[in-house]
Amino acid sequence: MRKRLIAVPLMCGALLSLAACGNYAIPDSTPPPSQAVAANPFEAAEEDAGFLAMLTHEAASADFSESGERLPFPYDGGEFRLDYRFSLSGKMDTVGFLLFLDGQPQPYKVNDTTAEYEYCHSFPTAEDQTFSFLFEPVTGSTGDTLTLTVVSITNPDFQPDMESTSSYGWYHKTLDSCVELKFNADAPATHSDLPPVREIFSQSGVREEKATAQYVENELPKYGWGGVSMDTLDSGIYYTFSYDGGIVYDNLRASAPVPLRFTMCGTAGTSYSIAFFLDHRPVKFDESTCRSITLSKGGVMELEAVIDPDKLGQFNTFYCVAVPQGGASGPFFKTNSILLYKEN
């Protein structure tokens, strides 16, 4: 992985509006058995004595209508520039950002147009910083209005060098904010300088199954989704993510093939893009960096893959994200980060 540490100038003045905000704290113990996240993943820490930092981020140059609604940013072709800013109070080593255009992982540069495209850039933390995302859209046609989801990830540079980690995934808390791009031109048909995408799966596939009472009433609660019934299944979005049939919080020895299973169900018609990340960079699933799914009433979408240990390094950070797609209003999800390791 090539994550660039970017030095950016301090921002003068205060934030006038907060598009995304919350508190970040690293807990002292292993989290309870749940991968579910609240609408604001930081809110539970606001009254926690272990509070470490508060992070906000948003577009720095948005235009608004007379009624106060934020207008889409126009895309007129070539490389798009989005001025952005974040504010931090408290203790945190670095902050990284992931971008998703209509749910698809979007590589970008920061400030310098001669820099390389990367999926995650890392910033040294200061109280207030401004910078620019620069990218050629990976999707979009003239007339489209697409959502760009900007996701902050805390301390992306942290990765333990030993197997005995504790609550590792809680170092990579996320906070998402969205803007819209109105396409007055088509996105480039080809991209010659995108980062290479690693292939770590020996097999992968997607299928849809019917939701059963056993899945809804027994399986979902194991992953933190309590109180869901067959009658209320359509009133929210729910997911599970397992490694070799179990929940993993911290680390997993990958000396043999590792089967993965991601499931999602809920409000019919909601579309999501699912992507698997290794060291903060998407890996190939089928022939792309992500897989689009649309939920149906009474159905469960299942994505399965097998990690080939021969395609891993000694230590790798791994997680999965689910990003709303096609204008869907569902929440953004990230699973716990885990450390995949090989024994010497």
Side-chain angles (χ1 to χ4, degrees):
M1 176 187 63
R2 295 172 298 165
K3 286 194 280 109
R4 299 173 63 86
L5 190 64
I6 306 299
V8 293
L10 292 179
M11 181 184 100
C12 296
L15 294 175
L16 300 179
S17 61
L18 301 181
C21 63
N23 301 331
Y24 167 67
I26 300 174
D28 294 330
S29 60
T30 301
S34 171
Q35 293 183 1
V37 295
N40 181 344
F42 299 95
E43 63 184 4
E46 289 182 357
E47 298 179 359
D48 191 339
F51 166 78
L52 293 180
M54 176 176 288
L55 172 69
T56 70
H57 61 88
E58 66 169 357
S61 57
D63 290 328
F64 294 87
S65 67
E66 292 182 357
S67 61
E69 294 182 300
R70 186 169 56 188
L71 298 173
F73 290 89
Y75 173 70
D76 299 315
E79 191 172 64
F80 178 74
R81 182 186 189 97
L82 175 66
D83 295 329
Y84 213 76
R85 59 190 173 192
F86 73 84
S87 178
L88 176 72
S89 60
K91 298 178 181 180
M92 194 181 300
D93 294 331
T94 58
V95 175
F97 287 94
L98 302 172
L99 270 57
F100 301 88
L101 182 58
D102 194 31
Q104 298 186 37
Q106 172 68 64
Y108 63 95
K109 306 173 186 176
V110 172
N111 293 341
D112 184 1
T113 56
T114 64
E116 296 179 342
Y117 281 104
E118 297 291 349
Y119 286 99
C120 180
H121 290 256
S122 181
F123 298 77
T125 55
E127 290 187 355
D128 300 293
Q129 298 191 36
T130 57
F131 56 95
S132 296
F133 294 122
L134 302 169
F135 61 86
E136 292 183 339
V138 293
T139 187
S141 301
T142 302
D144 290 346
T145 299
L146 302 180
T147 298
L148 177 71
T149 304
V150 181
V151 179
S152 62
I153 184 164
T154 54
N155 292 333
D157 301 297
F158 173 73
Q159 183 184 79
D161 58 1
M162 61 184 66
E163 299 87 80
S164 57
T165 59
S166 177
S167 303
Y168 176 37
W170 288 76
Y171 283 86
H172 296 154
K173 301 283 279 186
T174 60
L175 187 64
D176 60 287
S177 179
C178 296
V179 301
E180 290 186 327
L181 269 61
K182 180 177 176 56
F183 282 73
N184 300 321
D186 293 343
T190 59
H191 301 79
S192 59
D193 52 356
L194 296 185
V197 178
R198 290 184 63 174
E199 298 184 40
I200 66 169
F201 296 143
S202 59
Q203 61 186 68
S204 60
V206 180
R207 68 173 182 268
E208 183 177 17
E209 300 286 349
K210 289 295 184 181
T212 64
Q214 192 280 332
Y215 174 82
V216 174
E217 298 171 8
N218 297 327
E219 192 71 11
L220 287 182
K222 294 179 183 177
Y223 294 85
W225 306 109
V228 183
S229 68
M230 295 294 289
D231 293 333
T232 62
L233 186 63
D234 200 51
S235 62
I237 307 295
Y238 315 99
Y239 79 94
T240 73
F241 190 41
S242 62
Y243 298 82
D244 200 15
I247 303 174
V248 177
Y249 299 109
D250 304 316
N251 60 75
L252 183 66
R253 184 162 61 95
S255 57
V258 180
L260 311 174
R261 182 172 181 261
F262 179 93
T263 74
M264 178 171 277
C265 60
T267 306
T270 305
S271 294
Y272 267 85
S273 173
I274 312 301
F276 299 91
F277 277 73
L278 188 76
D279 296 334
H280 308 298
R281 176 182 291 178
V283 299
K284 183 175 288 188
F285 187 93
D286 289 343
E287 296 301 319
S288 183
T289 58
C290 60
R291 181 62 188 258
S292 298
I293 62 172
T294 300
L295 304 180
S296 63
K297 187 174 182 61
V300 179
M301 297 301 301
E302 299 183 356
L303 285 74
E304 295 183 325
V306 177
I307 296 177
D308 183 348
D310 292 336
K311 297 179 179 179
L312 299 176
Q314 186 68 31
F315 298 100
N316 293 109
T317 295
F318 186 80
Y319 54 85
C320 176
V321 301
V323 190
Q325 192 172 36
S329 58
F332 169 88
F333 296 109
K334 172 190 170 292
T335 64
N336 297 326
S337 294
I338 69 164
L339 180 71
L340 297 174
Y341 70 93
K342 294 182 180 180
E343 290 183 331
N344 294 325

